[in-house]
Amino acid sequence: MARPVLEPRTDREVFVVPLDIRPEHIDENEHVNNVVYVGWLQDVGTAHWNARFDDETRTKWSWVALRHEIDYLRPIQPDAAGIVARTWVGDPQGPRFARYVRIEDAEGRVCAQGISEWCLVDARTLRPHRIPADMIAPFSR
């Protein structure tokens, strides 16, 4: 059973990324394939990280996906335009962050939503690291 529609937290920035529907995204059922959504969850989270942190920070730290969970609510058709992803983060739990994503059509209807769990790692050693307090502010309102 699908969970209720995810609502952005009022204390978090909602980062919006436009999504393009490409021919290779369309499956034999004539809508965006489920696997594409997993890529979008990763791409949207990466875009948010890259937009809020400088090269030095991104060189020092990296993120490893631990889990993706997606609810498919409405198919996206091959000719769809105006598709966007809205993403925000939850509270850090040691080295882990939950990232929430809603994928919406041009009318604002939720087509899919997902929760990804990410782990902050030292980019050189790939060892998990507690999320520093100063890393939360760029994701906040």
Side-chain angles (χ1 to χ4, degrees), residues 1-135:
M1 173 184 260
R3 72 179 72 240
V5 172
L6 297 172
E7 292 297 334
R9 291 177 48 158
T10 58
D11 63 334
R12 294 290 191 241
E13 173 195 39
V14 177
F15 188 75
V16 180
V17 177
L19 301 174
D20 294 321
I21 311 304
R22 298 191 297 241
E24 61 268 23
H25 292 164
I26 306 306
D27 64 17
E28 62 276 355
N29 294 321
E30 291 300 313
H31 58 68
V32 174
N33 188 277
N34 297 349
V35 174
V36 174
Y37 289 87
V38 175
W40 283 343
L41 263 59
Q42 180 168 315
D43 294 346
V44 168
T46 300
H48 194 190
W49 166 250
N50 288 340
R52 295 296 166 257
F53 293 90
D54 60 20
D55 288 340
E56 182 180 341
T57 303
R58 294 192 324 261
T59 299
K60 181 178 180 180
W61 302 111
S62 188
W63 294 93
V64 175
L66 302 175
R67 181 172 193 273
H68 297 294
E69 179 181 326
I70 303 173
D71 295 316
Y72 303 98
L73 306 173
R74 173 178 282 108
I76 298 176
Q77 303 302 320
D79 58 350
I83 305 296
V84 298
R86 299 182 192 285
T87 188
W88 63 94
V89 298
D91 291 322
Q93 302 293 319
R96 298 172 183 222
F97 238 149
R99 174 171 291 283
Y100 303 87
V101 178
R102 284 191 352 193
I103 297 171
E104 302 173 357
D105 65 14
E107 288 79 43
R109 297 178 298 185
V110 179
C111 299
Q113 61 184 12
I115 302 172
S116 295
E117 187 175 352
W118 293 89
C119 181
L120 182 68
V121 296
D122 179 291
R124 188 177 54 78
T125 66
L126 298 182
R127 294 188 64 142
H129 192 280
R130 178 175 291 278
I131 296 168
D134 64 350
M135 198 174 277

